[in-house]
């Protein structure tokens, strides 16, 4: 038996839908201010805004929306790749981030969150894992405690 701690499914699904939609909305906003930005004496990426103002309608709006969709989708891909999934069993802790999988089969003396980082210490005091995560402390604590790992609410004192 094992326990997996991951972001809620509504958030994973929402990121794949919401990020492109938010990107499209930003694209519409960019199109709406393109003429103003193109008329400024200097602005970063001003050439993009000038191209948008020269495109005929509806192509200018479609290009802005499509560009926003692509950027939003790219953000969703980066978010998914950066997501940490923790699987805990009585004999192993598995940490998965993107394409990288790390299996830890050591006797652990302490497991805790240090800010936004999940930290695993061995019985001899070595830190063998430190991973940035947005996973909730209560869910992680429950998963580790359920399988007999020594969850700590605070980092242990230095030796």
């Amino acid at each position: 038996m094992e326990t997996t701690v991951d972001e809620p499914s509504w958030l994973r699904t929402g990121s794949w839908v919401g990020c492109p939609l938010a990107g499209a909305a930003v694209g519409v906003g960019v199109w709406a201010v393109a003429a103003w930005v193109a008329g400024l004496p200097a602005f970063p990426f001003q050439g993009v805004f000038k191209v948008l103002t020269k495109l005929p309608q509806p192509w200018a709006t479609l290009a802005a929306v499509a560009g926003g969709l692509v950027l939003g989708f790219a953000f969703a891909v980066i978010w998914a790749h950066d997501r940490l999934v923790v699987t805990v069993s009585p004999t192993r802790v598995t940490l998965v981030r993107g394409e990288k999988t790390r299996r830890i089969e050591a006797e652990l003396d302490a497991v805790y969150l240090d800010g936004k980082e999940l930290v695993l210490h061995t019985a001899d005091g070595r830190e063998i894992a430190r991973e940035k995560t947005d996973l909730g402390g209560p869910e992680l604590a429950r998963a580790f405690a359920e399988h007999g790992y020594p969850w700590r609410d605070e980092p242990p004192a230095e030796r």
Side-chain angles (χ1 to χ4, degrees):
M1 184 176 112
E2 59 186 30
T3 305
T4 299
V5 183
D6 192 1
E7 290 179 342
S9 61
W10 65 265
L11 183 58
R12 289 190 313 271
T13 303
S15 69
W16 288 108
V17 174
C19 289
L21 289 177
V26 168
V28 169
V30 166
W31 172 79
V33 299
W36 174 72
V37 171
L40 292 174
F43 195 84
F45 305 107
Q46 194 170 24
V48 174
F49 294 97
K50 287 180 179 179
V51 168
L52 269 178
T53 60
K54 292 187 185 335
L55 288 174
Q57 284 301 339
W59 301 112
T61 304
L62 289 174
V65 170
L69 279 169
V70 168
L71 288 175
F73 181 73
F75 184 79
V77 168
I78 291 167
W79 186 353
H81 193 281
D82 193 47
R83 202 173 267 139
L84 180 68
V85 178
V86 179
T87 303
V88 185
S89 75
T91 59
R92 178 183 325 145
V93 175
T94 306
L95 307 171
V96 178
R97 183 184 309 280
E99 303 294 319
K100 182 182 169 192
T101 299
R102 202 166 159 202
R103 290 176 184 81
I104 298 166
E105 297 178 358
E107 185 179 336
L108 298 178
D109 183 49
V111 181
Y112 58 93
L113 282 176
D114 186 6
K116 289 279 202 171
E117 296 177 321
L118 175 65
V119 183
L120 284 72
H121 276 253
T122 60
D124 62 5
R126 291 180 300 124
E127 181 180 290
I128 59 170
R130 180 177 286 267
E131 293 283 340
K132 182 182 126 329
T133 184
D134 289 322
L135 296 173
E139 293 85 3
L140 288 167
R142 195 169 24 259
F144 280 99
E146 182 178 300
H147 294 286
Y149 291 97
W151 179 265
R152 308 276 188 250
D153 291 327
E154 295 181 7
E158 295 286 326
R159 292 184 189 195

